[in-house]
Amino acid sequence: MVYTSDIEIQSKKRTEVINVTTFVEKKLEESRISDGIACLFSGHTSAAIYLGIDDKWVAEDFVDFTNSLVPNKPDLKHNIYGGKNADSHLKSILLGNSITLPITGSRVDLGSWQGIFFAEFSGPRERKINIKIIGE
Amino acid sequence: MVYTSDIEIQSKKRTEVINVTTFVEKKLEESRISDGIACLFSGHTSAAIYLGIDDKWVAEDFVDFTNSLVPNKPDLKHNIYGGKNADSHLKSILLGNSITLPITGSRVDLGSWQGIFFAEFSGPRERKINIKIIGE
Amino acid sequence: MVYTSDIEIQSKKRTEVINVTTFVEKKLEESRISDGIACLFSGHTSAAIYLGIDDKWVAEDFVDFTNSLVPNKPDLKHNIYGGKNADSHLKSILLGNSITLPITGSRVDLGSWQGIFFAEFSGPRERKINIKIIGE
């Protein structure tokens, strides 16, 4: 069985972390797949999807850390030649846009403190996560 | 066919790299799936799973590099507001907790020098890798 | 249905970004799978696979950024004890070697400006991406 859907997201800041765990869980319920894997994918090139602790301070540390690691320098080539958000594209590449999750007993096998997050690096924007679930 | 299992790990240091390739290969044998994909997932928020060279010096360079890239600063918000290991959570997000491997002819399609590693960023602890194999 | 193939790549520089999107799309067509997931995997330990914007300036920024983030210092242990490309192995671990893509209506669900890239960190070399597609 293959199930396809997507999750719509509205980000509100330039850099922002959005917990999408409950949306993924709703899609899983809708899929009626109890055993398999779920592929979460973002088709955006200035955002990312990641797994991490569901903790508001770590979310803020993450925003500060990524901004400090990849500052939006004016001398980045993408910025010199007409772009404005070279940092957003580099952060997106570094963090990644595709994660695969095991599904067992109709549940995502997340750890106790773990959540699924959408990282916006060039908001505010309307965004989407593609979800594909394969299994029985 | 869907196969589900997990691999138990005991880390011994705060930051440590553990080669889990042979454990994954044993699970694959047990699954009797010869063609498909294997999803390895860690439900921990202060650890990671990665693919890399099986070389003890690169493992040590990796520990030094991640500690230098994400030092456990006392002014990280997670540390200010009651946490102790903000760095571990950020390293976990950055390195990732989900990898997918192709299975062909009952073997993981790893490169000659490649291994599958569990990265502990907040040990010593008992840890677990979830493994889900889908295929024929 | 399970489809297996690989994509051959010839890199020309030490650090280089190669757009492999059209090669992946050709393999998908060949697979005749219209709905499912594709796992792209690299068995190399000094290269990576990533999703990002198809923009030559961001590709150049990416090369500069990774070289600046992980310089090939002579005092990296892998370099001290006989290796020459410790940086390449660390970059490979950081960027990752496995991505999973949703396939819908016989197409990869890529965003408008998104591409699939092979990142060479220790070229020039002959390289390969393993592709495994599962679905209906």
Side-chain angles (χ1 to χ4, degrees):
Chain A
M1 276 169 68
V2 183
Y3 168 88
T4 307
S5 189
D6 51 59
I7 295 165
E8 288 179 14
I9 294 163
Q10 173 67 58
S11 65
K12 291 171 186 160
K13 299 180 191 169
R14 185 174 197 270
T15 310
E16 185 183 358
V17 164
I18 297 166
N19 189 332
V20 298
T21 314
T22 57
F23 303 109
V24 174
E25 286 167 345
K26 275 178 199 161
K27 296 294 179 182
L28 176 58
E29 201 181 322
E30 210 176 281
S31 77
R32 298 184 172 277
I33 292 174
S34 61
D35 195 18
I37 59 174
C39 170
L40 303 185
F41 173 84
S42 155
H44 307 293
T45 63
S46 53
I49 303 174
Y50 71 77
L51 294 161
I53 192 169
D54 185 11
D55 175 287
K56 70 178 263 191
W57 304 119
V58 170
E60 292 194 17
D61 286 332
F62 172 81
V63 170
D64 294 343
F65 173 71
T66 50
N67 282 332
S68 150
L69 187 67
V70 194
N72 196 21
K73 293 184 188 163
D75 65 348
L76 284 163
K77 287 178 182 162
H78 179 73
N79 289 340
I80 292 174
Y81 297 103
K84 287 184 176 171
N85 57 350
D87 66 318
S88 317
H89 296 300
L90 293 174
K91 288 167 186 166
S92 173
I93 293 170
L94 194 62
L95 272 297
N97 284 286
S98 155
I99 59 171
T100 306
L101 304 168
I103 305 299
T104 307
S106 300
R107 293 180 62 86
V108 187
D109 282 343
L110 292 174
S112 316
W113 291 278
Q114 197 177 38
I116 306 162
F117 295 88
F118 181 82
E120 171 64 82
F121 294 128
S122 189
R125 292 196 199 210
E126 284 182 19
R127 301 292 204 173
K128 198 178 75 173
I129 294 176
N130 300 45
I131 179 161
K132 182 76 72 173
I133 308 177
I134 292 194
E136 298 165 351
Chain B
M1 275 171 68
V2 183
Y3 168 87
T4 307
S5 189
D6 52 59
I7 294 165
E8 289 180 12
I9 294 163
Q10 174 68 57
S11 65
K12 289 171 187 162
K13 300 181 191 169
R14 184 173 197 273
T15 310
E16 185 183 359
V17 164
I18 297 166
N19 190 332
V20 297
T21 314
T22 55
F23 303 110
V24 174
E25 286 166 344
K26 274 179 200 160
K27 296 294 179 181
L28 176 58
E29 200 181 324
E30 210 176 282
S31 77
R32 298 183 172 275
I33 292 174
S34 62
D35 195 18
I37 58 174
C39 171
L40 303 186
F41 173 85
S42 155
H44 306 294
T45 63
S46 53
I49 304 175
Y50 71 78
L51 293 161
I53 192 169
D54 185 12
D55 174 287
K56 69 179 264 195
W57 303 118
V58 170
E60 292 195 17
D61 286 332
F62 173 80
V63 169
D64 294 343
F65 173 71
T66 50
N67 282 333
S68 150
L69 187 67
V70 194
N72 196 22
K73 293 185 189 163
D75 65 348
L76 285 162
K77 286 177 182 163
H78 179 73
N79 289 340
I80 293 173
Y81 297 102
K84 286 184 179 174
N85 57 350
D87 66 319
S88 317
H89 296 300
L90 294 173
K91 289 168 186 163
S92 173
I93 294 170
L94 194 63
L95 272 297
N97 284 284
S98 155
I99 60 171
T100 306
L101 305 169
I103 306 299
T104 308
S106 300
R107 292 181 62 86
V108 186
D109 282 343
L110 292 174
S112 316
W113 292 276
Q114 197 177 38
I116 307 161
F117 295 88
F118 181 82
E120 172 64 83
F121 294 127
S122 188
R125 293 195 199 211
E126 285 181 19
R127 301 293 205 173
K128 197 178 73 172
I129 294 176
N130 300 45
I131 179 162
K132 181 78 70 174
I133 308 177
I134 292 195
E136 296 166 352
Chain C
M1 278 169 67
V2 183
Y3 168 86
T4 308
S5 189
D6 51 59
I7 294 165
E8 287 179 15
I9 294 162
Q10 174 66 57
S11 64
K12 289 170 187 161
K13 299 181 191 170
R14 184 172 199 271
T15 311
E16 185 183 0
V17 164
I18 298 166
N19 190 331
V20 297
T21 314
T22 56
F23 302 110
V24 174
E25 286 167 344
K26 274 178 200 160
K27 296 295 178 181
L28 177 57
E29 201 182 323
E30 209 176 283
S31 77
R32 299 183 171 277
I33 292 173
S34 62
D35 195 20
I37 59 175
C39 172
L40 303 186
F41 174 84
S42 155
H44 306 294
T45 63
S46 53
I49 304 175
Y50 72 78
L51 293 161
I53 192 168
D54 185 11
D55 174 288
K56 70 178 264 194
W57 304 118
V58 170
E60 292 194 17
D61 286 333
F62 173 80
V63 169
D64 295 343
F65 173 72
T66 50
N67 282 332
S68 150
L69 187 67
V70 194
N72 196 21
K73 295 184 188 163
D75 65 347
L76 285 162
K77 288 178 182 163
H78 179 73
N79 289 340
I80 293 174
Y81 296 103
K84 287 184 177 173
N85 57 351
D87 67 318
S88 317
H89 296 300
L90 293 174
K91 289 167 186 165
S92 173
I93 293 170
L94 195 61
L95 272 298
N97 285 286
S98 156
I99 59 171
T100 307
L101 304 168
I103 306 299
T104 308
S106 300
R107 292 181 62 85
V108 186
D109 282 344
L110 291 175
S112 317
W113 291 277
Q114 196 177 39
I116 307 162
F117 295 87
F118 181 82
E120 172 63 82
F121 295 128
S122 188
R125 293 196 199 212
E126 285 181 19
R127 300 294 205 171
K128 198 178 73 171
I129 294 176
N130 300 45
I131 179 162
K132 183 75 73 171
I133 308 177
I134 293 195
E136 298 166 353

